[in-house]
Amino acid sequence: MMRFLLALAAAMLALLPLQALAHPHIFIDARARIVFDGDGLVEGIHNDWTFDEAYSAWAVQGLDADGDGKVTRAELQALADDNMVGLAEYEYYTFAGEGPDNLSFINGSNASITYEGGRTTLSFDVALAQPYRIRKALEIAINDPEYYVAITFAGPSAVELINAPAGCGATLEAGHDLPDAIADQLYALPPDVTKLPPELEQALRGVQGAILVKCPPGAAGSGEEAPAPSTALDAATQLAEAQPIAVANDIPFGGPPPEPGLNLPRTGFFGWVAQQQKDFYIALTAALGRLKSDWTAFWVLGGLSFLYGIFHAAGPGHGKVVISSYVLANEKQVRRGVLLSFFAAMMQSAVAVAFVLILALGLGLTSLALSDAANWIGILSYAMVALLGLWLILRHVFGWGQRHHVHSHEFHHDLAYRAHAHLHDEQHHHHHDGDDDDEDNHVHVVTADQVRGGWREQLGVVVAVGLRPCSGALVVLVFALSQGLLAAGIAAVFLMGLGTAITTGTLAALAVGAKGLARRIAGADNPLTAGFVWWAELAGAVAVLGFGVILLIASF
């Protein structure tokens, strides 16, 4: 039994490091003006958010209505209004309070977007539900808890106090590590959560850095003492009792929808992977921009694209999960798992290129329309993954499409034997003596060798995984299109795909190798070996179905 458990653990370990956390695809240089009313109370914040060049190119795609080559504020107003709708679902990425007190921001207003120097700037106001009198120090955090949007303040000069009482000042605090108790609660949240529970919101306020607004005693009036702040452990305990969290499907700013995935800790190896993803993405888009004046930057672009693909594949995404689960359920050859990974990654790159060529270049769709189209492609991909998983389960249990014929009455008669992995002695005998034809040869159980998928099924795996283009690849391609460097962008995206294929193929090889290792550990002659393999393969098929269903539900 111990050997059996060790074998099971070895197989499951291959699927553990499949996903990390989302890394930023949108980068913002932020400025904030904190506004006080005539009574010395904080009433709101005026924001100026300047986006990176790559996302800015995505945002203005198709919005030059008069075709004069300039995108005006009037032409961008509809996008600004839509941004406010999306940001409202995410509480405007603004969280504030003193200790356990959480302030509520409402009524985003006065939104406008300008496009200058290749970068868009979104300006808007958010008002507090009730004006707030600072007691000691008001902590204001402006960030995306899901890390899809990276909001950065360059320094103290990026924060200004308007009409503040005498003696008040603002400082910037650096981010800090997330307490383990809070991290466990945060990582348990679904990937599409938009509104955090109040206790978790309070605990996360300073994690990515914060603005601290302090006023001397009496400067703001009441002099009321702030209640003692909750500890991280208290916040985690209260969070366990919180009500279900509201979710929204809109992505702020009309960006391409991020591929949903499981959140793992942002420390250690996974934190390092996330940082590499971010660094390579920034360097990649910068190298693409330099190509207009320096074609030697193409070699830098190619190398960065390849490395980005490697680290991107180690982050969130359904491709590696589906392929690794599929080869665990169905394959014994490492080579086949690697090929599936390669073709799926190349298809993902090809779909991204076709997406931009047809919808952006050919039809001139706006960024909002492109985002909607990418979302529907994702939904179709997840539905195909779910159907693939269902087929794998049915085939594995009932023997559909197997290479040897299995009579239904014999299958049901031996179901208990299959569950306990006892192969009937007649498995190796012919149904008709002297007849070697496979049509007359049958077994009493469905074995792994008999249910290996054919080329149609493997094509289905490639399409299900490769149909959904990488969000980062879409942004890079639209940016390349805006710079007149589409050919370089296409090359970069296929090099990304090559890097992705290497990481995904490695994980697929680990899954196949783990299954072979489990066989060796359990012992080829051990009567439990066949049973373990059968159940492990069924678990892989269930994983494909479950992952597809979860992503499909989360997409609506």
Side-chain angles (χ1 to χ4, degrees), residues 334-354:
V334 171
R335 179 175 61 87
R336 189 169 299 175
V338 171
L339 286 176
L340 286 175
S341 301
F342 174 79
F343 287 121
M346 290 299 102
M347 180 177 177
Q348 193 175 45
S349 298
V351 169
V353 171

Side-chain angles (χ1 to χ4, degrees), residues 37-64:
D37 66 12
D39 296 324
L41 281 67
V42 178
E43 63 178 3
I45 301 174
H46 175 80
N47 295 281
D48 293 303
W49 292 355
T50 300
F51 295 83
D52 64 279
E53 286 190 273
Y55 170 75
S56 296
W58 170 277
V60 303
Q61 164 61 35
L63 295 179
D64 183 11

